[in-house]
Amino acid sequence: MVRSELAHLELLAEIDSLGQRLDEWSSDAPDWPPARTCRLLVDRLRERTRLLRLRLESPLVIATMGGTGTGKSTLVNALVGEEVVQSGRQRPTTVRPTMICRSSITPELLGIDPAEVRRVTRELPALENLVLIDCPDPDTAEEDESDESNLVRLRQILPHCDLLLVATTQQKYRSARVADELAQAARGARLVFVQTFADLDQDIREDWRRLLGADYESGDLYFLDSVSALARSRAGEPPEGDFARLLDLLTRLLAGSASERIRRANFLDLLDETLQACEKRIDEGAASFESLHEAIEEQRLRLATRLAGGVREEMLHNRRSWEHRLLEKVVADWGLSPWSLVLRLYQGIGNLASGTMFMRARTPAQMALWGTVAGTQAVRKRLRGRRADSRLSKVVAGGWSEVELREAALVLDGHADEAQLDRETVQLDTLCGEADRAAGEFVSQTAEEVESLLGRLARRHTGPVLRWTYETLFGAMLVLLLVRLGKNYFWDSWFEGSAPVYGLDFYLSSLFWLVLWSGLLVWSFTARLRRGLRQEINRLSENWAGPQPARLIFGRLEAACAKVEHYRFRLKQLQRQVSELRRTVGQGGLPLGHRRGNGPGTPVDSKGSTSARTSAD
């Protein structure tokens, strides 16, 4: 297999892959009005693609197009080399499209309804690689026995054509009606612009080229006399001038692989037009998405701020429960030491009392009493923690009232309607369900963050510096008391015998000052705990102040937006792929015209009806 054949197969495979991606993109369209319109456009494109595939192995189909009296029929006769269709100068003579081809070619082979055309067969050399169709005029309202106008018949036949011969004269080249029909017909076809009546008119090609420049690549423009060319052909004389160049283009340069390249280029142009029409509709529909996203974030921030404020107030209001849990963690992390015994005593005097009761229990009744007291204390401890969590959960669950959710629903309903999204996504029932899920998730997140906060504070307050500071301060008091007791007992009363041993009054006063000193240290330590806890709660509530706590609210609405955005992104990918293929395919250096890719409007369907606007003069 030669290199050119391999490249040709690779290109065909890439085009087939592109068609498959287009089908997937269309079938995955969200339930959104612009997307539904895009799906209809793609369906019409599929019909055009089917017609193109029917003609892959058939001769190139070339149709004439132009205003009344521009010499289209005469040009067809000149190209064939004999008079096969009737021609006229002032009145339209072509009412029904005439298909000029060899006898082996049938309308069905080209995907054309035989009832739409009049078939004329000739075994002529000029028709070896092409089929000519002489089309009705788009600027007249002539009707035949079927009551169909020229314009309807023209629109029915043009989608089946690969190349349009656009004929005009000095008087007709600015016709608005012809220009409008050409804008529709040029999608999915290559163009050749021909000025006829060179024997009578001035050369207007430069002005015509400027006129076409906004919407078309004009290629070569031809200036010829069809009547003279037909006369030379009948006389057996060779063609000359622009007619000779035009005939060489159609019969030689467009033969063979050039026709396949033209059809692929036409398909890609039509696909590009369709995707641009889709892009226009999607961009228009998505223009309000930015304001919708801003409104969603604004409402989330408002609801989240309200929730975070309520949680902060609840935690600060019930801070004693959190302080108690924090002190438990501190005592557990501190280990065994004189100061930790003081903290344990402060934390659980009841636990100490129950332990003393257990040590003195001698009978089953005393053991049962101790078990009751200890169990009651454990249950009370667990209930305190559960009540704190329960109160916090209730605050979160009741953080958004129905009035607040209804207000948010009213605000976003207008934005959703403007964006043409399903308004069911912002109904009050939907938002209430999303709010319940958001509250549940926030409760779990809050519990984890609070546990992390308590663990962090416990580690901070059991560090080496703080640990040795309180151990030293408390230990100094113990050492002072022990030294004084030891001195009195061993030195003053034994060795010197000058002083009596301290009595009960001394021990009571020492116990008083020890308890007072311990109380001051406990107050100082717990005050540090309270300050740290308040600071951490404030810092934690600042982190909740963003829209994150309410991120599950408006989830369905945001998911609908995300689906549209993904649909839009895939369209951009398809457009890039089409642009790359168009550059690869090109038109092989042939001097043909074509419609620029940024033209307005939408593609035509297989019956020729436009999906955008109705052409008018």
Side-chain angles (χ1 to χ4, degrees), residues 12 51 200 263 284 342 410 616:
L12 287 178
L51 296 176
L200 300 176
R263 286 189 175 114
E284 289 174 352
V342 174
L410 289 175

Side-chain angles (χ1 to χ4, degrees), residues 112-129:
I112 300 174
D113 184 356
E116 293 181 358
V117 296
R118 182 174 68 90
R119 180 167 173 253
V120 176
T121 60
R122 293 289 189 275
E123 303 301 325
L124 298 172
L127 299 176
E128 182 179 357
N129 297 306

